[in-house]
């Protein structure tokens, strides 16, 4: 977090029929981070977003961009300095992918070749195959179209990106991919992103700061996601966060410091002596790994016959977690899903680094809570929980 | 016995000459109609309340028989092609205005919002986004207007041989040469079909961005291996 880039100062939007969409809203949106506006429908989140680039003019209050009132500059100049991504991408169906992305540079007066060159760069940046350049939007999947939408918004390298429920129309798997991609792009480019969603999980996953709005356009809480989960301001926010916020909060605690046990692990070609040596009684089960070090499954020691271990008869090891990048939530999830109650830890290469019990994880959770009182902001580094590449790999 | 293409001398044209005349009398009104319809339709899109009365007026004008138009106009424009073309222009509006309005309105809200958010002014947005996307609807309107105009030109025969190919029907009567009437009907049908085919070709040329019927399924439904691999790599 750096300075404040966008200051929304007691802004109200009242329509002629008396409807109040946004009610005396004040928000300081930090530079180079993702600020999420979240809330139920009718909470004024999209209106707020659209007031930043003046697609909606506030009735009262001011919006400052980098200290300057947004109404003090020509509206189209202002808009061209902010990328805008919309639900369903809103691509120009009559233009090729390349020309869609080149739109704003062309509006800014760039030559055709330079604009298209820039568009090619961006296709690569957002993970689009260069072969799609000459295609038209109807030939792309929803997820690809949304990538084009992001590339188009980034084309003129604007400092600010406004995103209005950009991922809500794609299926969950594609959405997760797009979210991870957005975090990666944000880490690379350091844009100031204002992101509107009605999905609190998306808000918690993406946001550096999350503003929860309630119906009628009033701010309910503005806090980092970890603080939101640990200390919701009132019943509305608590309700909006849903039932399992305690579990979700765990995603802000790293699993790095979990004490891993390395004894109860045998390779699939283990001798009888090795099996006996590993079965120390600390655990009722042994984890069998393949010759490549990857987990195969659990078994009681007496059911293992040296030299003829059948991987097909082992108990499933569940989904392993990666201590370096995953959170306590992932570790707990592994332990809960494991038939033995033990979670398997692997390195980035997929090789087993140890096992850990539910009890150990529970102690780690208590320790983490003790270090960060529940009513104070948990200052966990967001990078840990932000669906890093390891997350994506395991899911795929 | 005179031949099928021997045109009586009172018409002062060869068969090809009549075809040229016919095309001019039929197509200029459609063109004029388009020039009038585009701003009128845009006005109707911007001012919603204006659309119903405009639609009503064009429909009423369409209901006026061409003969009545001729009677009104003949004092001003005489027995000329113009007298034929003015009513045809007016008739084309009843098709073109709604076609353009529907076409421009069919541009998705997201597309418009995205254009505005990217800093398109209203004029640029109209010419670079709305109008190109409305092309299929506009051409659909043009097809109907053109074909009907080609057939309607023949009523110009009523005001002294201003009906181009239509005059042949009159002459078939006068000279008792029924083959002239057959010639007129077949020629006009051929022109109409030709014009229609040309307009379809123009549309195909202008809209490479439209899904074509009969083509392979879009990747959105059936991903080709490359896109599938790409999606997988991303997950």
């Amino acid at each position: 977090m750096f300075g404040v880039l966008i200051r929304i100062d007691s802004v109200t939007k009242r329509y002629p029929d008396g409807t109040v969409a946004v009610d005396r809203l004040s928000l300081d949106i930090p530079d180079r981070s993702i600020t999420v506006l979240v809330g139920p429908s009718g909470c004024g989140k999209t209106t707020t977003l659209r007031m930043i680039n003046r697609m909606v003019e506030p009735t009262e209050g001011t919006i400052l961009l980098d200290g300057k009132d947004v109404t003090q500059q020509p509206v189209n100049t202002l808009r061209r300095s902010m990328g805008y991504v919309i639900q369903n991408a809103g691509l120009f169906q009559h233009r090729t992918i390349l020309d869609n992305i080149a739109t704003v540079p062309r509006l800014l007066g760039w030559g055709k070749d330079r604009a298209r060159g820039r568009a090619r760069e961006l296709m690569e940046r957002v993970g689009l195959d260069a072969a799609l350049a000459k295609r038209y939007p109807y030939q792309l999947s929803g997820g690809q179209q949304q990538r084009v939408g992001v590339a188009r918004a980034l084309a003129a390298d604007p400092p600010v990106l406004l995103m209005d429920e950009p991922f809500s129309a794609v299926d969950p798997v594609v959405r997760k991919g797009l979210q991870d991609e957005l975090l990666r792009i944000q880490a690379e480019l350091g844009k100031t992103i204002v992101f509107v969603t009605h999905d609190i999980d998306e808000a918690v996953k993406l946001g550096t700061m999350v503003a929860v709005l309630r119906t009628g356009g009033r701010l309910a809480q503005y806090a980092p996601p970890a603080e939101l989960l640990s200390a919701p301001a009132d019943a509305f926010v608590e309700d909006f966060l849903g039932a399992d916020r305690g579990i979700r909060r765990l995603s802000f605690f790293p699993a790095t410091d979990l004490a891993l046990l390395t004894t109860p692990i045998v390779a699939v070609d283990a001798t009888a002596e090795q099996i006996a040596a590993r079965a120390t009684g600390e655990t009722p089960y042994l984890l069998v790994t393949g010759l490549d070090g990857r987990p195969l499954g659990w078994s009681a020691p007496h059911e293992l016959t040296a030299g003829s271990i059948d991987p097909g008869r082992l108990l499933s090891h569940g989904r392993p977690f990666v201590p370096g990048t995953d959170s306590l939530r992932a570790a707990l999830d592994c332990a809960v899903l494991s038939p033995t109650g033990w979670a398997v830890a692997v390195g980035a290469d997929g090789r087993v680094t140890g096992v850990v019990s539910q009890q150990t994880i529970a102690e780690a959770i208590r320790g983490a809570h003790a270090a960060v009182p529940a009513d104070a902001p948990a200052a966990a580094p967001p990078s840990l929980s932000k669906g890093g590449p390891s997350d994506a790999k395991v899911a795929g | 016995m005179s031949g099928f293409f021997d045109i009586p001398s009172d018409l002062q044209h060869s068969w090809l000459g009549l075809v040229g005349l016919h095309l001019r009398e039929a197509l200029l009104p459609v063109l004029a109609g388009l020039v009038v319809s585009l701003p009128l339709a845009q006005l109707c899109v911007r001012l919603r309340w204006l659309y119903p009365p405009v639609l009503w007026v064009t429909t009423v004008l369409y209901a006026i028989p061409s003969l009545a138009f001729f009677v009104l106009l003949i004092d001003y424009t005489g027995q000329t092609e113009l007298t034929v073309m003015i009513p045809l222009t007016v008739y084309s509006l009843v098709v073109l205005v709604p076609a353009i309005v529907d076409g421009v309105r069919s541009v998705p809200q997201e597309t418009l919002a995205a254009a505005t958010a990217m800093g398109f002014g209203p004029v640029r947005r109209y010419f670079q986004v709305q109008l190109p996307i409305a092309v299929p609807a506009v051409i659909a309107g043009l097809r109907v207007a053109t074909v009907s105009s080609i057939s309607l030109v023949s009523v110009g025969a009523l005001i002294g041989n201003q009906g181009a190919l239509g005059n042949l029907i009159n002459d078939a009567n006068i000279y008792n040469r029924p083959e002239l009437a057959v010639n007129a009907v077949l020629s006009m049908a051929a022109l109409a079909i030709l014009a229609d085919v040309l307009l379809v070709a123009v549309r195909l040329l202008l809209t490479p961005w439209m899904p074509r019927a009969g083509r392979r399924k879009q990747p959105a439904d059936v991903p080709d291996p490359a896109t599938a691999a790409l999606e997988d790599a991303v997950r």
Side-chain angles (χ1 to χ4, degrees):
Chain A
M1 214 178 291
F2 302 82
V4 172
L5 188 69
I6 302 169
R7 168 161 290 168
I8 298 174
D9 193 5
S10 46
V11 160
T12 296
K13 178 64 195 181
R14 198 178 298 109
Y15 285 102
D17 65 358
T19 322
V20 176
V22 177
D23 190 7
R24 284 161 297 163
L25 179 71
S26 291
L27 278 184
D28 280 353
I29 293 172
D31 198 4
R32 295 166 170 270
S33 58
I34 302 181
T35 300
V36 180
L37 308 178
V38 66
S41 48
C43 72
K45 51 193 190 295
T46 293
T47 308
T48 305
L49 189 79
R50 290 185 168 201
M51 285 195 289
I52 297 174
N53 72 352
R54 293 181 59 197
M55 287 170 76
V56 174
E57 299 283 0
T59 318
E60 286 159 28
T62 51
I63 296 178
L64 303 177
L65 171 68
D66 211 5
K68 292 188 289 283
D69 190 333
V70 291
T71 58
Q72 293 308 305
Q73 51 176 316
V75 67
N76 285 335
T77 313
L78 177 82
R79 288 177 184 161
R80 287 169 201 171
S81 73
M82 297 182 179
Y84 191 85
V85 188
I86 197 170
Q87 189 177 354
N88 295 322
L91 299 184
F92 298 140
Q93 50 187 303
H94 62 297
R95 291 190 176 170
T96 60
I97 300 312
L98 204 62
D99 286 341
N100 260 285
I101 300 172
T103 301
V104 180
R106 294 285 288 149
L107 284 175
L108 291 170
W110 295 24
K112 205 166 204 156
D113 289 341
R114 185 175 162 222
R116 286 187 171 169
R118 171 74 180 148
R120 274 180 223 285
E121 267 173 50
L122 279 157
M123 286 186 72
E124 199 183 329
R125 165 89 59 196
V126 301
L128 282 167
D129 190 337
L132 299 176
K134 289 274 189 284
R135 298 222 189 147
Y136 287 97
Y138 83 91
Q139 294 167 306
L140 269 57
S141 69
Q144 289 172 328
Q145 290 193 19
Q146 208 49 263
R147 275 167 210 275
V148 177
V150 173
R152 185 174 66 173
L154 289 168
D157 203 18
V160 176
L161 219 53
L162 306 177
M163 307 183 82
D164 189 2
E165 306 213 19
F167 307 147
S168 54
V170 291
D171 70 67
V173 178
V174 175
R175 186 184 312 146
K176 184 177 182 310
L178 289 166
Q179 290 168 344
D180 293 339
E181 197 90 341
L182 181 69
L183 288 165
R184 184 180 61 74
I185 290 169
Q186 158 67 9
E188 286 171 13
L189 301 179
K191 299 290 178 195
T192 301
I193 299 176
V194 187
F195 191 105
V196 163
T197 180
H198 59 260
D199 175 357
I200 185 68
D201 286 321
E202 187 167 63
V204 166
K205 176 175 178 180
L206 296 178
T208 315
M209 291 291 283
V210 177
V212 184
L213 302 177
R214 68 174 92 230
T215 315
R218 272 169 303 133
L219 183 63
Q221 188 169 8
Y222 186 41
E227 182 181 335
L228 210 62
L229 289 168
S230 62
D234 57 21
F236 170 79
V237 178
E238 192 168 0
D239 201 38
F240 194 70
L241 286 167
D244 53 353
R245 69 180 171 87
I247 300 290
R248 289 212 302 255
R249 189 179 165 227
L250 293 180
S251 52
F252 292 91
F253 301 122
T256 325
D257 297 331
L258 281 177
L260 299 179
L261 210 57
T262 51
T263 342
I265 301 171
V266 292
V268 70
D269 62 347
T271 62
E273 291 76 37
Q274 282 170 326
I275 293 172
R278 294 289 176 168
T280 56
E282 270 181 296
T283 65
Y285 295 95
L286 291 181
L287 179 71
V288 181
T289 67
L291 295 174
D292 57 358
R294 289 169 186 274
L296 291 176
W298 295 95
S299 175
H302 61 84
E303 285 175 4
L304 291 175
T305 321
S308 63
I309 296 176
D310 176 8
R313 297 192 54 199
L314 300 171
L315 291 171
S316 148
H317 58 74
R319 187 182 131 176
F321 73 101
V322 183
T325 49
D326 279 340
S327 63
L328 282 183
R329 183 182 178 180
L332 180 66
D333 199 52
C334 298
V336 170
L337 289 178
S338 164
T340 62
W342 287 66
V344 177
V346 295
D349 56 359
R351 295 168 68 94
V352 174
T353 56
V355 295
V356 59
S357 68
Q358 284 179 2
Q359 284 76 10
T360 312
I361 296 170
E363 279 158 28
I365 292 169
R366 276 196 294 278
H369 281 180
V372 186
D375 53 353
S383 62
L384 263 176
S385 54
K386 298 281 170 180
S390 69
D391 240 23
K393 225 177 291 163
V394 180
Chain B
M1 176 89 192
S2 328
F4 193 68
F5 289 104
D6 288 337
I7 308 301
S9 58
D10 67 324
L11 297 185
Q12 298 174 352
H13 280 286
S14 65
W15 178 79
L16 272 180
L18 284 181
V19 166
L21 198 65
H22 199 96
L23 283 178
R24 191 171 71 196
E25 281 188 56
L27 299 186
L28 280 181
V30 176
L31 203 66
L34 185 64
V35 168
V36 174
S37 302
L38 281 172
L40 194 59
Q42 187 54 17
L43 220 56
C44 292
V45 170
R46 299 220 97 182
L47 311 171
R48 285 189 155 268
W49 58 266
L50 197 62
Y51 188 39
V54 164
L55 215 53
W56 186 81
V57 169
T58 58
T59 310
V60 167
L61 287 174
Y62 188 69
I64 300 175
S66 43
L67 194 56
F69 260 117
F70 294 158
V71 170
L72 276 175
L73 287 170
I74 215 150
D75 286 345
Y76 305 96
T77 51
Q79 289 179 306
T80 61
E81 282 176 36
L82 199 58
T83 311
V84 181
M85 291 196 287
I86 290 172
L88 292 186
T89 303
V90 171
Y91 292 157
S92 73
L93 298 183
V94 80
V95 181
L96 291 177
V97 170
I100 299 169
V101 170
D102 290 347
V104 171
R105 277 190 188 163
S106 73
V107 178
Q109 275 309 310
E110 297 101 65
T111 308
L112 289 181
T116 307
M118 279 189 288
F120 280 83
V123 175
R124 206 194 282 261
R125 196 177 80 162
Y126 177 69
F127 283 107
Q128 293 188 9
V129 180
Q130 289 174 296
L131 204 52
I133 292 177
V135 158
V138 174
I139 291 192
L142 280 177
R143 286 173 65 187
V144 178
T146 305
V147 169
S148 95
S149 189
I150 286 175
S151 87
L152 281 174
V153 163
S154 50
V155 297
L158 291 173
I159 55 163
N161 286 349
Q162 293 299 339
L165 287 168
N167 301 338
L168 289 176
I169 300 172
N170 206 16
D171 275 17
N173 229 347
I174 300 170
Y175 301 110
N176 193 22
R177 284 179 58 194
E179 78 274 10
L180 288 182
V182 175
N183 182 333
V185 171
L186 290 182
S187 301
M188 284 190 280
L191 286 185
I193 291 169
L194 208 68
D196 199 48
V197 167
L198 275 175
L199 281 170
V200 171
V202 167
R203 201 209 72 201
L204 290 177
L205 213 66
L206 287 180
T207 59
W209 46 271
M210 271 182 78
R212 300 267 184 266
R215 260 200 204 168
R216 204 171 55 86
K217 272 271 196 178
Q218 301 166 24
D221 301 318
V222 183
D224 63 52
T227 37
L230 187 76
E231 294 277 351
D232 286 346
V234 162
R235 286 168 204 164

